[in-house]
């Protein structure tokens, strides 16, 4: 329908001033709605239409077609033969060759080239010009360089509510990836929106985790399977054990059933050395140690209750907070408890109570870390309360060496994988200490403040140069330590062995002395009843004891003095002289000390025998 | 003719020498101590490489020219003595 409105104006009226007047509205056209047409439409309520005055843009992705690369071999066939010669005809080719050989130019050239070639051949036979000349020589001693460490990477928890990085585990081959378990260890402080995820970080990209692991409950501990680098086992906050396969995605492949799991967070989970590579065991503060086969996580294969009275009662059990397992000693393992006691266990014992082989009264508080020296498995390091202690398996009553009492709690520790006398500890004030026990025992060789919040976990890479520490706010810092602390020094192994042996011996002597004293006390208490009869003998034995005791104390004092002198000498020597000379001195000292101790021991043995006789008499 | 024989024999008799090949400008092996297929392969590949090396040297300095080419690999060393018309190739196991 065409609507037209015609407006006419005379030509003579153009240009005239406008004379506006008011006029009522007139309906020009009135188009009534057609109900029939309404049937073709559907009412739409609400109607939204966006209006924007902007140019329309569209996005398009283009990817070039992938170049298909194929490797092919080339078959060389002879070419270049002159036209008249057929390369397949042996006669013709031979004839051609003979002709060339007769050419004078050929003879001259070959003679000339021959001499040139011979020169090079002889050269090759005489000397290997690509020989590695200084490869076998040891690296120049960098002893003068003070130990240092530099941060190479920092990985932060991407979530808003930060959680503590409670456990770190390096990838078994190459250590290019780090698995970190995140959870909040504060008692009942779980915020509603706290994420349960734990991450696997790739060292190349510290901004975004490479893989996210989604457990049903936050992970407290996480370990890579040393045999299969795709499998990880994790212990959850609610006591369950779960295992992941990195090829299969972020959800656990299998989770243990709640009824048979632990009742408290699983603080330690370690893989065992087995043919199938699927066995692991876990420990928790509920007092149990459970063994699992990840193929069947519905129930544990074995359980052990950490009851040191050997009755297997869960009520008496001590809560485990750290676990230690050394693949070279597959039947033994150690558990550090919340009560400060370290329990060594034998897996292959006949009855469950016998599994607990021995205990060491360790610390005043929970034993947060427990690890054996990779070079000398008889000695192990424990970290708890305000000290770190080194123990020998033989001396059960006390540790053989310990650090001083610090101002803040120690949270984690581990041995260096490269140097036998170096270990690392982390503290609640955010510092990482590196101790070199051969060099200095009073203070750490290097103490670094990593962050302001407490550090909770520590893990050293297998090469011994890179260490990762996790803090309370989920920040994982990777540090590279200077080569002085991660290269094996010349006589270090022997010196470390000597030091450990010396300390063990000292402890044994002290233990023996304590035992004797206790025996004396008991004997004296019994002997008092039969006093009149044995007075005479007692006196002589008492005098003997006095003499023995004073001799012994003198000997100890002399030893201590001598050791202090040796230390002072060592430190002085280190400042001024060359390392090699100073080492020689050390060796002399070392050789002197054991001799003296040997003498001492002999004296002791004689005196002990005398004492033994004295006690037998009454 | 006898000199050539003698020279090549002498070269081949040196310690560690695995093979000797003489190739002409067209890539045709004239003299060889290795089997045919290997010879053809060496001849073809090294000929091209020598050409390339020579042109490289001359590109850098037109007055210069390639006198000798040595390729040291894990298993042995290939030595190429080039000339205008011929190429002498020797494969040696350097004794270490």
């Amino acid at each position: 329908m065409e609507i037209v409105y015609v407006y006419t104006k005379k030509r003579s009226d153009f240009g005239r001033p406008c004379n506006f007047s008011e006029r009522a509205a007139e309906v020009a056209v009135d188009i009534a709605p057609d109900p029939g047409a309404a049937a073709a439409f559907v009412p739409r309520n609400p109607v939204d239409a966006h209006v924007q005055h902007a140019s329309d843009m569209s996005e398009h992705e283009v990817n070039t077609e992938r170049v298909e690369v194929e490797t092919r071999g080339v078959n060389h066939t002879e070419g270049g033969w002159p036209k008249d010669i057929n390369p397949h005809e042996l006669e013709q080719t031979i004839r051609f060759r003979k002709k060339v050989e007769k050419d004078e130019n050929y003879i001259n050239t070959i003679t000339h080239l021959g001499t040139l070639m011979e020169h090079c051949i002889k050269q090759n036979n005489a000397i290997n010009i690509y020989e590695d000349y200084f490869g076998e020589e040891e690296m120049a001693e960098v002893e003068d360089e003070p130990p240092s460490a530099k941060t190479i990477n920092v990985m932060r928890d991407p979530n808003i509510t930060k959680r503590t990085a409670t456990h770190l585990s390096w990838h078994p081959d190459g250590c290019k990836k780090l698995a970190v378990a995140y959870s909040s260890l504060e008692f009942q402080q779980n915020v509603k929106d706290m994420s349960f995820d734990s991450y696997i970080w790739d060292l190349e990209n510290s901004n975004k985790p490479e893989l996210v692991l989604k457990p049903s409950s936050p992970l407290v501990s996480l370990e890579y399977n040393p045999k299969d680098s795709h499998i990880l086992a994790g212990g959850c906050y609610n006591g369950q054990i779960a295992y992941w396969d990195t090829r299969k995605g972020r959800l656990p492949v299998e989770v243990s059933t709640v009824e048979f799991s632990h009742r408290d967070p699983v603080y330690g989970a370690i893989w065992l050395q087995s043919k199938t590579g699927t066995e692991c065991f876990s420990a928790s503060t509920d007092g149990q140690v459970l063994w699992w086969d990840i193929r069947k996580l519905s129930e544990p294969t074995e359980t052990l209750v950490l009851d040191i009275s050997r009755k297997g009662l869960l009520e008496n059990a001590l809560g485990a907070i750290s676990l230690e397992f050394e693949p070279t000693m597959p039947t033994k393992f150690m558990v550090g408890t919340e009560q400060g006691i370290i329990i060594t266990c034998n897996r292959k014992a006949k009855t469950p109570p016998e599994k607990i082989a021995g205990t060491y009264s360790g610390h005043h508080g929970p034993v947060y870390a427990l690890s054996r020296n990779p070079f000398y498995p008889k000695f192990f390091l424990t970290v708890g309360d305000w000290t770190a202690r080194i123990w020998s398996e033989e001396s059960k009553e006390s540790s053989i060496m310990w650090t001083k009492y610090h101002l803040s709690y120690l949270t984690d520790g581990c041995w260096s994988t490269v140097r036998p006398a170096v270990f690392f500890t982390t503290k609640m004030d955010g510092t990482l200490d590196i101790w070199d026990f051969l060099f200095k025992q009073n203070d750490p060789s290097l103490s670094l403040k990593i962050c302001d919040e407490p550090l909770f976990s520590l893990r050293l890479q297998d090469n011994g140069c890179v260490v990762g520490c996790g803090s309370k706010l989920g920040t994982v810092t990777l540090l590279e330590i200077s080569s002085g602390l991660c290269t094996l020094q010349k006589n270090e192994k022997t010196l470390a062995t000597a030091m450990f042996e010396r300390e063990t011996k000292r402890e044994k002597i002290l233990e023996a002395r304590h035992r004797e004293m206790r025996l004396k006390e008991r004997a004296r208490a019994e002997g008092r009843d039969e006093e009149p009869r044995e007075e005479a003998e007692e006196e002589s034995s008492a005098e003997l004891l006095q003499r023995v005791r004073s001799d012994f104390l003198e000997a100890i004092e002399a030893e201590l003095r001598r050791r202090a002198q040796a230390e002072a000498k060592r430190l002085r020597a280190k400042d001024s002289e060359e390392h090699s000379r100073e080492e020689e001195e050390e060796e002399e000292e070392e050789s002197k000390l054991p001799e003296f101790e040997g003498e001492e021991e002999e004296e002791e043995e004689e005196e002990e025998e005398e004492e033994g006789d004295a006690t037998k008499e009454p | 003719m006898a000199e050539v024989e003698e020279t090549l024999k002498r070269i081949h008799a040196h310690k560690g020498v695995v093979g000797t090949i003489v190739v002409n400008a067209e890539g045709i092996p004239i003299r060889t101590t290795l089997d045919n297929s290997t010879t053809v392969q060496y001849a073809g590949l090294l000929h091209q490489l020598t050409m390339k090396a020579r042109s490289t040297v001359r590109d850098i300095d037109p007055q210069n020219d390639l006198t000798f080419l040595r390729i040291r690999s894990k298993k042995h060393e290939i030595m190429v003595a080039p000339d205008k018309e011929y190429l002498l190739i020797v494969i040696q196991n350097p004794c270490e």
Side-chain angles (χ1 to χ4, degrees):
Chain A
M1 188 188 8
E2 209 178 290
I3 300 170
V4 174
Y5 180 76
V6 182
Y7 166 76
T8 53
K9 192 170 178 181
K10 274 200 199 154
R11 184 69 174 80
S12 51
D13 285 344
F14 281 10
R16 279 239 185 117
C18 290
N19 186 10
F20 291 107
S21 61
E22 216 175 286
R23 184 164 62 105
E26 266 175 42
V27 179
V29 179
D30 187 9
I31 306 168
D34 179 13
F41 292 89
V42 175
R44 193 166 113 193
N45 192 9
V47 174
D48 68 311
H50 47 264
V51 173
Q52 182 177 278
H53 185 62
S55 43
D56 262 327
M57 307 271 241
S58 80
E59 193 184 299
H60 190 65
E61 264 177 31
V62 172
N63 200 4
T64 51
E65 267 182 37
R66 196 140 165 235
V67 174
E68 294 284 329
V69 179
E70 206 180 296
T71 315
R72 285 202 184 183
V74 179
N75 190 14
H76 289 273
T77 53
E78 290 181 50
W81 291 101
K83 276 202 207 97
D84 51 347
I85 295 179
N86 182 0
H88 299 287
E89 280 278 322
L90 206 56
E91 260 185 49
Q92 291 182 3
T93 53
I94 290 176
R95 211 185 304 146
F96 179 81
R97 285 201 176 104
K98 284 229 176 85
K99 196 173 70 181
V100 171
E101 283 179 4
K102 288 208 173 70
D103 184 17
E104 201 186 304
N105 190 14
Y106 173 81
I107 296 171
N108 289 341
T109 319
I110 294 297
T111 336
H112 167 67
L113 292 179
T115 40
L116 201 61
M117 185 63 80
E118 261 190 289
H119 169 76
C120 287
I121 291 176
K122 283 188 194 156
Q123 203 179 58
N124 263 349
N125 282 335
I127 186 169
N128 179 7
I129 63 174
Y130 299 106
E131 182 185 326
D132 206 11
Y133 288 110
F134 302 106
E136 299 85 39
E137 277 191 27
E138 274 176 20
M139 302 268 282
E141 308 291 343
V142 273
E143 200 56 37
D144 306 286
E145 184 191 286
S148 61
K150 54 178 182 175
T151 319
I152 48 178
N153 228 333
V154 177
M155 296 176 296
R156 287 176 222 278
D157 186 0
N159 301 60
I160 302 169
T161 38
K162 307 279 180 205
R163 302 144 310 152
T164 317
T166 48
H167 200 89
L168 304 163
S169 170
W170 288 96
H171 193 261
D173 333 296
C175 298
K176 285 271 162 274
K177 298 198 211 177
L178 183 61
V180 187
Y182 293 90
S183 60
S184 173
L185 287 179
E186 310 277 322
F187 184 61
Q188 300 201 337
Q189 286 278 18
N190 287 341
V191 185
K192 277 246 175 64
D193 57 348
M194 189 182 88
S195 126
F196 290 168
D197 303 339
S198 290
Y199 303 113
I200 296 183
W201 295 88
D202 188 342
L203 296 191
E204 315 283 310
N205 182 9
S206 53
N207 295 323
K208 202 163 101 71
E210 197 207 359
L211 186 63
V212 179
L213 302 172
K214 284 193 179 296
S216 50
S217 145
L219 286 179
V220 180
S221 59
L222 183 59
E223 279 285 335
Y224 264 104
N225 185 344
K227 289 240 176 81
D228 182 0
S229 53
H230 295 285
I231 310 260
L232 294 113
C236 300
Y237 194 70
N238 66 359
Q240 287 176 298
I241 303 278
Y243 92 94
W244 276 265
D245 189 330
T246 51
R247 298 166 288 206
K248 293 210 184 119
R250 42 179 71 182
L251 290 172
V253 179
E254 211 187 318
V255 185
S256 62
T257 46
V258 180
E259 300 89 48
F260 293 110
S261 309
H262 292 280
R263 304 269 180 273
D264 266 351
V266 179
Y267 282 102
I270 302 186
W271 288 93
L272 286 171
Q273 196 84 315
S274 72
K275 280 180 240 131
T276 53
T278 54
E279 287 183 20
C280 62
F281 70 133
S282 61
S284 151
T285 37
D286 66 354
Q288 288 179 299
V289 177
L290 303 173
W291 277 264
W292 307 87
D293 187 331
I294 55 168
R295 294 170 293 195
K296 183 171 170 275
L297 274 179
S298 49
E299 61 171 10
T301 52
E302 238 182 288
T303 63
L304 169 65
V305 176
L306 294 170
D307 181 6
I308 45 174
S309 61
R310 297 202 172 87
K311 290 204 201 72
L313 296 169
L314 203 58
E315 299 87 57
N316 294 357
L318 307 171
I321 210 162
S322 55
L323 200 55
E324 195 282 330
F325 176 74
E326 178 77 32
T328 49
M329 294 196 283
T331 55
K332 289 204 281 191
F333 65 94
M334 291 203 287
V335 181
T337 62
E338 261 188 322
Q339 286 77 6
I341 300 179
I342 300 146
I343 307 176
T344 49
C345 308
N346 188 345
R347 198 178 163 197
K348 294 277 173 255
K350 305 263 172 21
T351 57
E354 274 177 35
K355 283 215 169 129
I356 296 173
T359 62
Y360 300 86
S361 61
H363 290 262
H364 305 292
V367 179
Y368 283 113
L370 188 52
S371 98
R372 284 190 199 258
N373 190 325
F375 293 86
Y376 306 110
K378 245 187 5 171
F379 302 101
F380 57 96
L381 171 75
T382 62
V383 167
D385 60 52
W386 300 272
T387 62
R389 289 172 186 269
I390 300 179
W391 302 74
S392 158
E393 272 187 4
E394 299 154 348
S395 59
K396 299 234 176 200
E397 288 186 25
S398 79
S399 54
I400 58 172
M401 289 157 88
W402 54 91
T403 65
K404 62 175 186 200
Y405 278 84
H406 294 96
L407 292 170
S408 46
Y409 241 55
L410 263 74
T411 49
D412 202 354
C414 69
W415 286 101
S416 159
T417 46
V418 187
R419 294 187 61 185
V422 171
F423 62 92
F424 301 79
T425 54
T426 54
K427 301 221 283 281
M428 287 288 269
D429 61 359
T431 50
L432 167 73
D433 292 327
I434 306 178
W435 298 79
D436 180 354
F437 250 40
L438 270 182
F439 182 62
K440 216 183 345 169
Q441 294 183 5
N442 294 331
D443 287 309
S445 292
L446 182 59
S447 180
L448 294 158
K449 185 135 186 147
I450 311 269
C451 45
D452 290 325
E453 65 265 11
L455 287 174
F456 266 99
S457 52
L458 175 70
R459 201 61 183 264
L460 193 64
Q461 225 185 46
D462 288 332
N463 60 9
C465 289
V466 177
V467 61
C469 8
S471 77
K472 188 159 174 219
L473 294 182
T475 315
V476 176
T477 317
L478 292 178
L479 296 126
E480 187 180 330
I481 47 181
S482 63
S483 49
L485 286 169
C486 57
T487 39
L488 195 62
Q489 310 290 339
K490 266 187 270 178
N491 296 335
E492 194 169 340
K493 278 199 178 169
T494 40
L495 288 174
T497 333
M499 175 177 77
F500 289 134
E501 291 297 323
R502 189 180 69 220
E503 298 299 327
T504 330
K505 224 181 273 186
R506 176 180 64 89
E507 275 306 315
K508 279 208 210 129
I509 293 171
L510 286 175
E511 260 182 63
R513 181 189 173 219
H514 278 129
R515 232 177 294 138
E516 290 306 322
M517 280 178 66
R518 260 180 271 134
L519 274 173
K520 286 295 133 257
E521 288 301 316
R522 225 174 294 145
R524 203 168 290 144
E526 288 170 23
R528 219 162 274 140
D529 304 333
E530 313 164 13
E531 234 185 20
R533 210 186 356 129
E534 291 145 1
E535 233 178 41
E537 288 164 334
E538 278 248 320
E539 259 177 67
S540 61
S541 56
E543 275 178 48
L544 201 65
L545 277 170
Q546 258 316 101
R547 193 169 26 98
V548 160
R549 204 163 285 148
S550 52
D551 281 344
F552 187 86
L553 285 170
E554 272 176 37
I556 292 274
E557 237 117 84
E559 243 270 44
L560 284 170
R561 254 180 280 131
R562 185 179 284 251
R563 204 172 287 156
Q565 279 175 13
E567 272 281 339
K569 227 191 225 172
R570 202 184 297 158
L571 288 169
R572 255 183 287 130
K574 256 202 161 50
D575 293 331
S576 52
E577 290 168 29
E578 279 180 334
H579 186 73
S580 50
R581 261 193 281 158
E582 169 243 302
E583 283 218 319
E584 281 176 49
E585 280 186 33
E586 273 190 38
E587 283 186 300
E588 288 176 0
E589 299 288 348
E590 292 297 327
S591 55
K592 269 193 237 156
L593 288 170
E595 280 175 52
F596 184 75
E597 285 184 343
E599 287 173 51
E600 225 189 12
E601 272 232 313
E602 284 173 52
E603 284 182 281
E604 284 309 305
E605 286 177 318
E606 286 173 47
E607 290 166 335
E608 281 180 21
E609 280 175 52
E610 285 181 70
E611 285 184 322
D613 291 336
T615 51
K616 276 188 204 142
E617 280 167 42
Chain B
M1 175 64 197
E3 296 166 25
V4 170
E5 284 290 336
E6 204 205 300
T7 312
L8 291 175
K9 249 201 221 144
R10 211 176 47 234
I11 288 177
H12 195 67
H14 272 286
K15 188 164 123 179
V17 173
V18 177
T20 316
I21 307 171
V22 179
V23 185
N24 83 342
E26 275 119 35
I28 302 171
I30 308 289
R31 237 357 186 52
T32 174
T33 58
L34 303 167
D35 58 277
N36 198 32
S37 50
T38 320
T39 306
V40 167
Q41 202 175 25
Y42 269 108
L45 293 165
L46 287 167
H47 191 254
Q48 289 176 35
L49 186 64
T50 318
M51 291 300 119
K52 189 73 177 185
R54 177 179 275 144
S55 70
T56 308
V57 170
R58 297 196 81 163
D59 272 349
I60 294 170
D61 179 7
Q63 253 82 40
N64 209 350
D65 194 10
L66 183 70
T67 48
F68 204 83
L69 185 64
R70 261 177 168 185
I71 303 163
R72 192 100 182 228
S73 74
K74 271 200 278 201
K75 297 195 179 160
H76 36 240
E77 180 160 345
I78 304 169
M79 292 176 278
V80 181
D83 183 74
K84 244 183 4 197
E85 283 185 36
Y86 300 95
L87 213 64
L88 175 60
I89 301 168
V90 171
I91 302 141
Q92 187 192 23
N93 260 329
C95 26
E96 284 154 61

